[in-house]
Amino acid sequence: MKRSLNTFADHAPKPEWIKNFFDQPNAFMKENMLGKCQFDFFRRFLFDAELADRKTKSATDFTALIQKIGWNEPTAWALILINLVYNNPQMRWYVENLSVDEGFSRETVEEKLRSVEVSVKDSKSIAKAFKRLCETPLGTALNFGTTTSDERNNLSTLKRTKAKVDDGRVILYALYKFAEATDGWYQFTLTRLMNDAESAGVSPTTIFGIDREEMQQFLNGLSTNYPDYINATFTHDLEKISLTAEKASRDVLSLFDR
């Protein structure tokens, strides 16, 4: 069943909603100043980010980890973005269909969306949501994207930008998510990571806009620092990346507690 790309309608998250949530996560889930539609769509964001549990409607252990890291830090939002890409079709569309450092007019973004059978109304709503998302820490801390506005403060142009990732554990988390999405395929090449178009998973190179050289540096560093999780080899034209099948993405998150 095809999932709608319009996941936030006209109620994409605002920076103040995010701040209020992290100030008192569980209290916020029970009582807040948002209208019903605002809260329903913001709750969808929190569910997809794995910051709130769909069944209990309460904050998760992941939320506590993000608070420990610092909820406004780039590393925190890099982890959140990984979860969003895997759980939210609108966010996945963004990283898979907008080239890094290429500006797109609002009309072009809407045209791209309509080419995948998104309605005119929904395409306008989605473009509007991307503008608002860039105003949250996804844009201001992680460098997820930038926008320009017209005289009425409506979206004029949208540019996806290379994310600010300087913690290798973020890449390791994304690699395990990638492996888990591909039915436990824990061995792959850097070439496959650079071209994941045919994969059920989304490579960290796609999620964050990382080039081949930087990705290789991350992989070498991770192999040195976390040999129990990953081994990457780049010798004699051989490139092989092996993750430990007994480990899982949730285990990687425990590395942030150390």
Side-chain angles (χ1 to χ4, degrees), residues 86 174-188 243:
Y86 276 98
L175 287 171
Y176 270 86
K177 283 283 195 179
F178 182 78
E180 290 161 1
T182 53
D183 294 325
W185 190 355
Y186 282 77
Q187 292 189 353
F188 32 83
L243 303 180

Side-chain angles (χ1 to χ4, degrees), residues 78-95:
L79 294 173
I80 290 170
L81 178 59
I82 293 167
N83 289 345
L84 286 171
V85 166
Y86 276 98
N87 297 318
N88 185 285
Q90 181 173 333
M91 301 299 286
R92 181 161 179 161
W93 184 91
Y94 179 92
V95 301

Side-chain angles (χ1 to χ4, degrees), residues 5-60:
L5 290 182
N6 189 11
T7 58
F8 304 124
D10 291 328
H11 301 289
K14 289 186 175 183
E16 57 267 30
W17 301 357
I18 292 169
K19 180 183 183 302
N20 291 340
F21 169 76
F22 281 110
D23 282 347
Q24 291 185 302
N26 283 316
F28 180 92
M29 295 300 292
K30 294 177 181 177
E31 185 176 356
N32 52 72
M33 299 298 290
L34 302 186
K36 185 181 185 307
C37 284
Q38 290 176 324
F39 182 58
D40 285 346
F41 282 102
F42 185 46
R43 193 168 59 175
R44 166 70 187 272
F45 172 87
L46 296 173
F47 290 157
D48 290 348
E50 300 182 25
L51 293 166
D53 185 88
R54 293 179 192 276
K55 292 183 178 179
T56 65
K57 308 296 188 293
S58 59
T60 61

Side-chain angles (χ1 to χ4, degrees), residues 6-229:
N6 189 11
T7 58
F8 304 124
D10 291 328
H11 301 289
K14 289 186 175 183
E16 57 267 30
W17 301 357
I18 292 169
K19 180 183 183 302
N20 291 340
F21 169 76
F22 281 110
D23 282 347
Q24 291 185 302
N26 283 316
F28 180 92
M29 295 300 292
K30 294 177 181 177
E31 185 176 356
N32 52 72
M33 299 298 290
L34 302 186
K36 185 181 185 307
C37 284
Q38 290 176 324
F39 182 58
D40 285 346
F41 282 102
F42 185 46
R43 193 168 59 175
R44 166 70 187 272
F45 172 87
L46 296 173
F47 290 157
D48 290 348
E50 300 182 25
L51 293 166
D53 185 88
R54 293 179 192 276
K55 292 183 178 179
T56 65
K57 308 296 188 293
S58 59
T60 61
D61 291 341
F62 182 66
T63 297
L65 175 62
I66 295 302
Q67 289 178 306
K68 181 176 180 179
I69 294 170
W71 71 265
N72 208 18
E73 292 296 318
T75 295
W77 283 92
L79 294 173
I80 290 170
L81 178 59
I82 293 167
N83 289 345
L84 286 171
V85 166
Y86 276 98
N87 297 318
N88 185 285
Q90 181 173 333
M91 301 299 286
R92 181 161 179 161
W93 184 91
Y94 179 92
V95 301
E96 290 187 330
N97 292 276
L98 299 183
S99 303
V100 173
D101 289 332
E102 182 178 352
F104 297 94
S105 68
R106 174 182 55 77
E107 292 83 3
T108 299
V109 174
E110 292 174 5
E111 287 172 5
K112 283 177 170 286
L113 288 161
R114 290 198 296 273
S115 72
V116 290
E117 300 180 357
V118 173
S119 69
V120 172
K121 180 179 182 295
D122 281 358
S123 68
K124 292 181 181 297
S125 183
I126 292 169
K128 178 181 176 182
F130 287 143
K131 177 181 184 296
R132 191 179 283 186
L133 287 164
C134 288
E135 295 166 352
T136 72
L138 279 170
T140 59
L142 184 60
N143 197 38
F144 166 86
T146 61
T147 66
T148 63
S149 303
D150 61 20
E151 63 278 3
R152 295 186 177 182
N153 201 35
N154 295 317
L155 177 67
S156 181
T157 63
L158 172 65
K159 178 188 285 188
R160 184 186 167 210
T161 46
K162 180 179 177 295
K164 182 181 179 182
V165 179
D166 54 16
D167 190 324
R169 293 172 296 181
V170 166
I171 302 300
L172 189 61
Y173 181 62
L175 287 171
Y176 270 86
K177 283 283 195 179
F178 182 78
E180 290 161 1
T182 53
D183 294 325
W185 190 355
Y186 282 77
Q187 292 189 353
F188 32 83
T189 64
L190 180 54
T191 297
R192 181 164 181 252
L193 288 179
M194 299 306 301
N195 183 12
D196 62 359
E198 302 301 320
S199 174
V202 188
S203 167
T205 63
T206 299
I207 294 174
F208 300 117
I210 299 172
D211 63 27
R212 186 184 183 93
E213 181 179 354
E214 185 178 6
M215 189 62 191
Q216 185 170 334
Q217 291 174 350
F218 271 123
L219 292 166
N220 285 331
L222 288 168
S223 294
T224 299
N225 296 321
Y226 303 102
D228 291 343
Y229 284 82

